[in-house]
Amino acid sequence: MKKILSGLLVGSILFGGAVSIHAAEVDGTGSASITVNGSLGQDNTDEQAPNIQEGSEDWINVTLDTANIFYTTKESDHKTITSPHYEIKNNSGRAVKVSVANFQVESGNLSNVEELKISGKDYTGTDQAIDLNMLGTGEFLVLANNQGKLDVENDPTGGLASDTLYSYSGTTAGDYYKKKAEHTTHTLTLAFEALGKNGQPVAP
């Protein structure tokens, strides 16, 4: 299942920027026709959107998978944890920092798990990981905006990653799961922070 988190606020705005003015002289007639263009609401996919405050949650527009699994492998005698790959995609006009806010065990336990990592690549393609079983929280990775830019004004060519595939990996303790099967359920909470136009965190 995929879920879209979008910080869109609908309302009436005055769209700033360059305006092409077409002038006409009204002479000898009692009426004139004027072309009127409106811009309603705010588009957080437009990196040049003039009406969204830098650092605002209104910039957050992320698509992600919301149902994940991990499991041990028979080939490793159930000592190795693995999983499918899951996607996080930044649809926003600003770069977004992704952090693990919480990893909660809802049922079962991980007392016989030595390591359980969530791993993915950031906007530069560099591997990033957090051990959910030990630390549980912290900054995970940063994704470029939907044009492949971290710094909107100084990265004119883009080319940076705006999406990533993440997965789970780890190891279990001894031969425990070779002879015993357990099911666990968890809630992973990811936090998203919209970075500023320059690709840096915005001071509160």
Side-chain angles (χ1 to χ4, degrees):
M1 180 197 317
K2 289 190 180 291
K3 186 175 185 179
I4 297 179
L5 305 178
S6 178
L8 291 177
L9 176 64
V10 179
S12 297
I13 63 164
L14 178 63
F15 187 81
V19 178
S20 177
I21 300 176
H22 301 273
E25 183 177 339
V26 179
D27 187 6
T29 182
S31 65
S33 296
I34 300 172
T35 299
V36 180
N37 295 310
S39 181
L40 305 174
Q42 52 190 23
D43 182 3
N44 63 6
T45 66
D46 178 5
E47 63 183 26
Q48 299 300 335
N51 58 311
I52 307 177
Q53 184 177 353
E54 294 300 317
S56 169
E57 289 186 355
D58 289 340
W59 278 114
I60 297 172
N61 186 332
V62 177
T63 304
L64 71 159
D65 293 292
T66 57
N68 297 179
I69 62 170
F70 61 80
Y71 48 87
T72 57
T73 64
K74 180 180 179 181
E75 294 75 15
S76 69
D77 288 331
H78 300 285
K79 295 180 181 179
T80 300
I81 297 171
T82 188
S83 81
H85 286 85
Y86 302 101
E87 183 181 32
I88 304 175
K89 182 179 181 182
N90 183 18
N91 307 305
S92 173
R94 293 291 181 268
V96 170
K97 180 170 72 174
V98 183
S99 300
V100 174
N102 191 33
F103 183 69
Q104 179 71 39
V105 179
E106 303 293 350
S107 67
N109 66 78
L110 297 177
S111 59
N112 292 291
V113 170
E114 294 177 338
E115 180 181 68
L116 177 62
K117 294 194 302 183
I118 181 174
S119 305
K121 295 183 184 296
D122 67 11
Y123 68 96
T124 64
T126 303
D127 291 324
Q128 304 291 344
I130 290 181
D131 188 343
L132 300 171
N133 201 29
M134 294 294 292
L135 300 175
T137 62
E139 182 177 337
F140 183 27
L141 50 81
V142 172
L143 295 174
N145 78 351
N146 57 16
Q147 300 300 310
K149 302 175 186 178
L150 186 68
D151 185 324
V152 170
E153 295 179 336
N154 297 313
D155 295 340
T157 60
L160 302 174
S162 60
D163 61 353
T164 190
L165 294 176
Y166 69 91
S167 62
Y168 300 86
S169 63
T171 55
T172 63
D175 294 329
Y176 182 82
Y177 292 106
K178 186 177 181 180
K179 300 178 181 178
K180 184 176 179 64
E182 291 182 341
H183 294 282
T184 62
T185 59
H186 313 268
T187 300
L188 171 67
T189 303
L190 297 180
F192 303 97
E193 177 186 347
L195 300 181
K197 199 171 188 178
N198 62 357
Q200 300 300 314
V202 177

